[in-house]
Amino acid sequence: RSTLFPYTTLFRSLADALISTSPEIKAAFIEKEFRVSERLDRITAYYYHLENVFLASTDGEVFTAAGTGKDFSNLQKMEFWERFKASGYQPYLDTYVRRSPKTGKLSFMLVQGVFSNSGELLGFVGFNINWDKFIKQFIIPVKVGETGYLAITDTIGRNIGHHDLSLNLKELTNYPWMQKIIDEKNGFQRYYFKDKIKLMSFRQSDEVGWIINASIDENELIQSTNRLRNIILICQRSEERRVGKECRS
């Protein structure tokens, strides 16, 4: 968890810092001035994994956005709105990965309510986090042996991080091995995919709920085991011959 998802903590901290240390952010909600956009532009330029930063009024309407601009017009139209509202507009990480209609990139969202000193809700600040960049930096380069790789699955059976980019956002619940991942969340399995028998270890992240899995071709492990067995046998026979010579002498 600490290796794969440190950036979610970073962006939670950023949301807090953006609100608590920036009087112009709160002023932007009260005065609806766009002078805050320069500060938002600096944030998106500095943080590599940010797709955009946006501000929305209390009715959910997005009134300014930096980076790639608006991906949507109103927070209340988002699927997670009721859960976010029920939380009292506390920092909410929406882990449903979607493709941006503007850029075509995979992203997910962090939103947080902004309150006045007296506790009145002023509006919302949000971040779209570029998930494609994470995949290319941390998932694709990782190899498990010669034939294996890492992948990430969400809890509804979609691949959301895979070295084969054509599989990203593909729902694979028609495969028994994917159903096992969804049902059990943590475990090990032997399965068949793309004409090969594979072995997989999988574990759910406590932080985001996604399931990280590592797969490798069974054949590779069998060959490695056979090589190890042969090395052990050769060593054993060499030792037997050495001991035999010492006994005869």
Side-chain angles (χ1 to χ4, degrees), residues 87-135:
S87 76
Y89 306 118
Q90 295 304 303
Y92 184 87
L93 185 66
D94 176 35
T95 56
Y96 184 83
V97 175
R98 54 179 63 80
R99 197 172 296 280
S100 166
K102 288 182 69 70
T103 67
K105 304 295 184 183
L106 300 182
S107 65
F108 61 98
M109 193 183 303
L110 172 66
V111 291
Q112 178 171 340
V114 180
F115 298 88
S116 69
N117 294 337
S118 62
E120 176 190 1
L121 180 67
L122 299 176
F124 309 98
V125 61
F127 305 89
N128 274 306
I129 301 166
N130 189 317
W131 182 236
D132 269 342
K133 288 182 178 178
F134 183 90
I135 293 172

Side-chain angles (χ1 to χ4, degrees), residues 136-203:
K136 289 173 182 175
Q137 187 174 356
F138 296 108
I139 301 299
I140 293 176
V142 176
K143 294 285 289 180
V144 180
E146 294 298 320
T147 61
Y149 51 83
L150 286 183
I152 302 179
T153 304
D154 65 16
T155 53
I156 61 174
R158 297 184 311 156
N159 262 329
I160 58 171
H162 201 281
H163 76 288
D164 181 349
L165 298 181
S166 69
L167 292 177
N168 285 328
L169 297 193
K170 291 289 179 66
E171 188 174 318
L172 301 173
T173 50
N174 54 315
Y175 291 96
W177 53 265
M178 178 59 79
Q179 200 59 56
K180 183 179 176 73
I181 292 174
I182 297 170
D183 292 343
E184 299 184 10
K185 307 293 190 298
N186 301 284
F188 179 86
Q189 63 176 321
R190 181 175 183 263
Y191 67 105
Y192 187 78
F193 186 59
K194 290 191 171 181
D195 300 323
K196 292 183 178 179
I197 298 175
K198 295 176 173 287
L199 301 173
M200 175 197 293
S201 175
F202 55 96
R203 184 176 181 83

